[in-house]
Amino acid sequence: MFSLKTENEGDKALSVASAEPIIKIQGLHFHYNPESEHPIHALQGIDLDIYPGDYLVIVGHNGSGKSTLAKNINVLLRPTEGDVWVKGMNTRELTNTLAIRSAVGMVFQIPDNQIVATIVEEDVAFGPENLGVPRDELQERVEWALGVVDMLDHRHRPPHRLSAGQKQRVAIAGVMAMKPEILVLDESTSMLDPEGRRDVLAAVRKLNEEGMTVIAITHFMHEAAEGNRVIVMEAGKIVMEGTPRQVFAHVEELRALQLDVPQTTELAYRLNQRDSTFPPDLLLVDDVVAEIQRRVNGRSRA
Ligand SMILES: Nc1ncnc2c1ncn2[C@@H]1O[C@H](COP(=O)(O)OP(=O)(O)OP(=O)(O)O)[C@@H](O)[C@H]1O
Ligand SMILES: [Mg+2]
């Protein structure tokens, strides 16, 4: 693995790294069907610290172990070898399960499987109600969560009448209403249209800005720019890690792992190949535009 951690981290990455990890993963191996003739070694020695307020994006080819890693964080699975601690609680201890599950909210890919009630607000209330949140606070939380995902106007509607994007926002509101300290999104935007995806990302960004730790698994490389850290997985291992700019500067290595890079990075990379003074690691459209503009202006003044 080549780690990109030490170079020029952004302010946010530095400030969060000074705290104690909220999730600590050490020597984690996971086998599916361990007793069978052909056990599947889905995680092969993961070491990872995640800090409070991190927005960690996990990318990797199909089957690289991303979902298995996420499930080991909220105790849907337990390590075959190694340890996972959430807020200091080891996931191997059965007595920690409930406390860990209330600290870690998880949103999956398909919203339909996550919606349980026939009215939007009842669905959002379901999780916190099960956690024993009192009535008046419950009402407050439901309104807050629906407000964050911009679905308050739909509170009295039956979920099956909503679009896929709206359903996914309701599913996210349901998890948020439980006020987890850590939000795990496993390809939660993959079923959505671009607008739905933007809405969900904006809601998640807002929560992260308010201090929630976010772990987002995605196939959309440009979504990785949302995070302060990115890890790249391959065959059950972490093969790259760093800030989005650091990771996506490694265009050739990512391609070798059959991963795309964001279009902006691709453009910056090609411009850098033509003119090595052009920065190859620009990630945001605005940054690429500004760099090109700066050069055009410089040339016209010369
Ligand atoms: N329930 C299961 N039983 C047996 N093998 C499984 C199970 N779930 C996943 N696997 C295998 O474990 C490995 C890791 O799978 P995982 O779902 O964690 O990958 P992923 O990176 O999330 O993939 P994707 O991008 O397709 O969601 C793969 O080889 C997969 O086939
Ligand atoms: Mg998966």
Side-chain angles (χ1 to χ4, degrees), residues 96-266:
N96 288 336
T97 306
L98 206 63
I100 294 175
R101 292 236 176 99
S102 41
V104 185
M106 194 146 167
V107 185
F108 296 96
Q109 187 172 5
I110 302 163
D112 286 323
N113 299 352
Q114 302 169 68
I115 287 175
V116 292
T118 51
I119 300 291
V120 165
E121 64 179 4
E122 286 171 11
D123 188 80
V124 176
F126 182 80
E129 207 165 13
N130 277 340
L131 289 179
V133 173
R135 268 255 147 249
D136 44 343
E137 194 190 332
L138 192 63
Q139 190 64 23
E140 215 171 276
R141 283 200 194 189
V142 168
E143 280 175 26
W144 165 78
L146 283 171
V148 175
V149 297
D150 202 16
M151 286 295 289
L152 210 46
D153 292 346
H154 301 273
R155 59 192 297 176
H156 301 303
R157 292 182 67 192
H160 71 265
R161 292 280 181 80
L162 303 174
S163 70
Q166 290 171 327
K167 281 184 201 164
Q168 190 60 300
R169 281 190 272 157
V170 171
I172 290 176
V175 172
M176 280 166 42
M178 292 192 270
K179 297 241 168 133
E181 285 166 72
I182 302 151
L183 179 65
V184 182
L185 304 152
D186 190 355
E187 313 244 2
S188 308
T189 65
S190 61
M191 303 281 283
L192 310 185
D193 59 15
E195 197 184 339
R197 217 175 288 151
R198 260 199 310 275
D199 288 348
V200 167
L201 286 180
V204 173
R205 195 180 310 135
K206 197 157 134 194
L207 289 168
N208 177 247
E209 281 163 7
E210 287 167 9
M212 195 179 278
T213 305
V214 176
I215 301 170
I217 296 171
T218 183
H219 268 124
F220 297 107
M221 291 300 153
H222 60 272
E223 286 188 7
E226 295 285 326
N228 64 320
R229 296 173 66 192
V230 179
I231 63 172
V232 181
M233 292 191 65
E234 171 67 10
K237 297 193 175 99
I238 297 175
V239 291
M240 281 191 213
E241 90 174 276
T243 63
R245 275 181 72 155
Q246 289 165 349
V247 167
F248 289 114
H250 294 261
V251 175
E252 297 301 335
E253 289 93 330
L254 289 166
R255 285 214 185 109
L257 297 169
Q258 302 179 48
L259 293 171
D260 288 329
V261 294
Q263 281 176 338
T264 40
T265 310
E266 176 78 35

